[in-house]
Amino acid sequence: MFNTRGWIALGLLSAFAVPAMAQSFRVQCPTNTVTHPSNLHDNNSEPAYTGPTTLSAPSTTTFQAPTGHVNGAIKCQQISGGDGYATMGDGTQTYMFSFGPLSGITDIALGKAGTEPPNVFNVPFPVSTSNFLVPGDPATTVGATAVPLNSSALATLAAYNYNGAVGLDYDVANTVNVYDISESGNTVTVVANSPLDLNLQVGASVVIAGGTDLPAGYKGNVTVTAVNIPNAFFPPNFAFQYQATTAGLAEVTMSSTITASIAKAIDGHVDPRQIMDVGVMNGNIPAPLMAIDEDDEFFLTLTNVGMIMRPDLFEQHTVHFHGYPNASAFYDGVPDASVAINIAASFTYYYLAPDAGTYFWHCHITPPEHLQMGMVGQLYVRPRQNRVAPGANLYTARATQDTDLRTACVSANDILCSNPLPIANTGTTHTAGATYAYNDGDGSTFYNVEYPLQIHGFDPNFHFVGMTFNPEGFADMKDKYFLLNGRSYPDTVSPGPLQTQAADGVNHFSQPLPAIINIAAGTRALLRISDLDVSEYQTLASLGIPMQVIGYNAKLLRDQAGNNLYYATNSITLAGGESLDVILDTCAARPLIVGTTTNDYTTCTTALPKGTYYLYTPNLDHLSNDAENFGGLMTEVHVN
Ligand SMILES: [Cu+2]
């Protein structure tokens, strides 16, 4: 259990007061924070949204803390910054500067987000049941089968099921000699001969042992109730307290036998060997997928393992959430305005999640270079509306959000309101388990399945000189591979992760995310499309299934009066740095919800014919894989 504010304060102090601080790997995933106190809510799951978080009364001396109705939870993720290889649609291996997963490694390989709650993230690799993680895991351990992985291999991968923080290890148990032990009432104060472990916190378990000079009432396994205790002998950080069952125990001073043993604990320490084994040459394209819910706190650790193919470079990396409402500019990732992460260091970014939508993230060091080389990934935020009670009116639930300044969006007094109330209450209610792209208040962004779809492009010449110690000609950059989720057709429709043998001689799941869209006939798929192409505009067209555009750059398409401005189209065009939310509806006719003017998206009277449809670029020169006149920016939509 960590104190978030303490960590942040510590980080700031060390950044400014100790400029020559040594670097090391580290992860952070608190189970309890100021805004998500664990005594009010289990931070491993999302609570239902019933209204704004209740806060303590305003005060001039302290912050307002939640007292009830806590919304959101805590999510954590660890990623590596480094290099790696991917294989293009024509078989060409391409060198990348890239991010790779260092948590959620099984989920990432299964095409899911690697964002995990604390009770999944804070789990060391179970050495007792398996070997240590090895380079390329999980590809090398469970993925050494058919390429692409067949269904039984995917089942094996799912059974692998390790999603904790790679490298996470217990802090060593440590034993200190006790200088003085005394009791007041039932409260025992222990003063050690040396400063106590910084991680000794309230709730930690300590074993008090000693010889015949130690009364039995002091002995045994005790729970720390207070730390930093002022005392007559040493500074406060030498002392802690616990509660004994027996009162009236005699004080013992200067005993040579009494010890306090602090148990090993998960406190963010890591074994760097595990991180290097898995993180080196572990580049993924796209970079690890991230998904969080509105009201979450997100702790994202970037661990820079260095680029083994370019030992001459001492490249820093950062994480920049593009177009994202940041908690603080400190975490923006623009190196000149915030911090950048050196090789052999970790840094934990901290984000809040105030606005639902589709975003993407990338490294902000020399962006044209690191983006083109592959340092870009997807990110989306799910709306509060997913969590309202079944049967609740969606308009009312959306209006409730306006009663808290943290979640309010009232267009009458906020011209930047990105998600106004709908113009009228349609009477639509929430069905248990229903999912929406935004807090629409009318159910119009309902979807059954969602697919993140990232458009990207690679210039093989630029990547080659990036590997071979040659100066890169930025002005000559021209993409020749056109990628959806890091793959060009026909690889886009290979299910499961694609693996590539890297310079370390082992296979890595370098392209984890297929771009194949599966939709049950009569249902709706949300495509979260972002374009990170560095050199060109990209167009995607849909044949046979209309695209309904419902959001643009993580904003619901709705005017300030509340009219939905959604539009149907058969193609969308994006520049690098833009994102869109599109719904593919495979139903041609739906009934209205009884008593409303709203479509009932849970039933369909006339479904589109089952079969294979296409998402492809009508820029025909982008339907190629470099010299191969075939492939490129295309994937299949399977209506099943
Ligand atoms: Cu970078």
Side-chain angles (χ1 to χ4, degrees):
M1 200 155 44
F2 308 132
N3 177 312
T4 318
R5 277 188 312 141
W7 275 114
I8 292 165
L10 203 67
L12 286 168
L13 268 179
S14 47
F16 296 125
V18 194
M21 195 177 88
Q23 292 166 352
S24 66
F25 294 150
R26 197 77 193 180
V27 293
Q28 292 181 46
C29 185
T31 54
N32 175 51
T33 66
V34 169
T35 51
H36 288 100
S38 57
N39 60 333
L40 292 179
H41 164 63
D42 168 18
N43 285 311
N44 297 307
S45 62
E46 291 289 329
Y49 180 80
T50 55
T53 303
T54 316
L55 298 172
S56 56
S59 153
T60 53
T61 55
T62 185
F63 49 83
Q64 289 180 271
T67 56
H69 269 196
V70 179
N71 285 302
I74 295 174
K75 303 279 166 62
C76 301
Q77 191 157 354
Q78 184 185 208
I79 53 172
S80 61
D83 54 1
Y85 286 88
T87 301
M88 300 295 99
D90 61 356
T92 302
Q93 268 201 332
T94 303
Y95 176 66
M96 301 187 297
F97 297 178
S98 44
F99 295 106
L102 281 178
S103 70
I105 57 173
T106 304
D107 280 350
I108 291 282
L110 291 169
K112 298 189 269 191
T115 315
E116 310 290 351
N119 65 347
V120 175
F121 185 90
N122 286 329
V123 176
F125 189 70
V127 177
S128 57
T129 57
S130 178
N131 294 320
F132 286 101
L133 288 162
V134 296
D137 267 337
T140 39
T141 303
V142 294
T145 48
V147 179
L149 295 183
N150 56 32
S151 58
S152 74
L154 283 172
T156 310
L157 178 61
Y160 187 70
N161 199 30
Y162 178 65
N163 286 309
V166 171
L168 187 65
D169 207 348
Y170 290 92
D171 192 9
V172 288
N174 72 78
T175 299
V176 293
N177 293 312
V178 172
Y179 179 79
D180 183 272
I181 188 165
S182 62
E183 194 178 44
S184 167
N186 286 82
T187 302
V188 177
T189 300
V190 180
V191 183
N193 274 310
S194 54
L196 295 165
D197 190 315
L198 282 175
N199 298 306
L200 181 70
Q201 296 199 350
V202 172
S205 126
V206 174
V207 175
I208 306 291
T212 49
D213 57 338
L214 180 67
Y218 283 124
K219 292 183 184 177
N221 207 329
V222 304
T223 303
V224 174
T225 54
V227 292
N228 278 323
I229 312 299
N231 61 82
F233 311 104
F234 295 126
N237 64 333
F238 284 52
F240 68 91
Q241 288 180 329
Y242 66 91
Q243 298 295 312
T245 46
T246 323
L249 298 169
E251 179 171 5
V252 184
T253 305
M254 289 202 289
S255 161
S256 59
T257 66
I258 306 174
T259 57
S261 300
I262 299 157
K264 66 177 186 176
I266 291 291
D267 58 7
H269 280 96
V270 295
D271 170 2
R273 172 173 172 172
Q274 291 279 286
I275 289 196
M276 295 304 281
D277 278 355
V278 176
V280 169
M281 298 305 298
N282 199 34
N284 276 192
I285 175 79
L289 179 63
M290 300 173 185
I292 52 180
D293 294 87
E294 279 188 330
D295 304 315
D296 280 353
E297 284 178 279
F298 183 31
F299 294 83
L300 173 65
T301 300
L302 168 58
T303 291
N304 188 342
V305 299
M307 296 196 288
I308 204 163
M309 294 297 290
R310 290 298 306 270
D312 60 314
L313 295 179
F314 39 90
E315 299 289 281
Q316 298 176 313
H317 300 296
T318 68
V319 171
H320 171 68
F321 275 17
H322 189 91
Y324 194 87
N326 268 334
S328 158
F330 194 65
Y331 302 104
D332 190 47
V334 179
D336 0 36
S338 59
V339 291
I341 311 346
N342 289 321
I343 292 173
S346 299
F347 180 77
T348 299
Y349 288 87
Y350 174 75
Y351 303 97
L352 300 173
D355 290 340
T358 299
Y359 306 84
F360 50 84
W361 62 279
H362 59 86
C363 175
H364 219 296
I365 303 287
T366 331
E369 180 188 30
H370 287 213
L371 279 173
Q372 163 72 235
M373 292 300 282
M375 303 198 86
V376 52
Q378 290 162 319
L379 159 73
Y380 55 87
V381 180
R382 293 172 288 237
R384 226 163 264 124
Q385 185 166 298
N386 288 350
R387 313 196 298 264
V388 303
N393 180 295
L394 292 181
Y395 183 92
T396 311
R398 167 61 194 77
T400 304
Q401 298 185 29
D402 291 340
T403 59
D404 179 358
L405 285 176
R406 293 171 191 234
T407 56
C409 190
V410 182
S411 40
N413 49 33
D414 176 9
I415 58 164
L416 295 178
C417 169
S418 63
N419 193 337
L421 267 174
I423 193 152
N425 183 347
T426 58
T428 314
T429 56
H430 181 63
T431 310
T435 45
Y436 313 88
Y438 290 93
N439 294 304
D440 54 49
D442 58 8
S444 56
T445 66
F446 170 88
Y447 63 85
N448 301 87
V449 287
E450 67 185 331
Y451 288 95
L453 212 52
Q454 182 182 289
I455 303 170
H456 198 46
F458 272 2
D459 173 355
N461 301 335
F462 191 89
H463 285 252
F464 183 72
V465 298
M467 179 177 65
T468 50
F469 304 83
N470 287 300
E472 292 149 326
F474 282 74
D476 297 334
M477 202 188 285
K478 180 155 184 15
D479 293 337
K480 298 188 182 70
Y481 294 107
F482 306 95
L483 311 173
L484 282 172
N485 290 344
R487 308 178 185 193
S488 43
Y489 190 81
D491 289 345
T492 46
V493 296
S494 293
L498 292 184
Q499 45 187 303
T500 295
Q501 194 186 69
D504 56 1
V506 298
N507 280 355
H508 295 257
F509 282 142
S510 54
Q511 289 146 292
L513 208 55
I516 191 165
I517 314 294
N518 282 299
I519 316 177
T523 67
R524 289 156 66 87
L526 170 67
L527 306 186
R528 298 176 174 278
I529 305 174
S530 53
D531 180 10
L532 255 294
D533 201 299
V534 177
S535 67
E536 306 204 34
Y537 283 84
Q538 296 292 355
T539 300
L540 261 190
S542 171
L543 272 181
I545 309 174
M547 302 168 111
Q548 187 188 35
V549 181
I550 58 161
Y552 177 57
N553 289 341
K555 302 284 178 263
L556 181 66
L557 274 187
R558 179 177 282 175
D559 69 14
Q560 297 291 351
N563 299 294
N564 291 340
L565 303 177
Y566 311 161
Y567 61 93
T569 180
N570 62 1
S571 78
I572 55 100
T573 297
L574 291 176
E578 296 184 313
S579 65
L580 271 178
D581 299 292
V582 159
I583 286 189
L584 293 183
D585 195 337
T586 62
C587 182
R590 295 185 185 282
L592 294 179
I593 297 171
V594 178
T596 75
T597 54
T598 310
N599 284 320
D600 182 355
Y601 293 121
T602 59
T603 51
C604 179
T605 40
T606 314
L608 294 186
K610 294 180 180 177
T612 300
Y613 297 76
Y614 290 90
L615 267 183
Y616 72 104
T617 183
N619 298 334
L620 299 182
D621 58 327
H622 292 189
L623 286 174
S624 61
N625 300 325
D626 196 6
E628 191 176 78
N629 183 23
F630 168 82
L633 201 65
M634 179 162 98
T635 189
E636 294 174 5
V637 179
H638 293 182
V639 177
N640 306 307

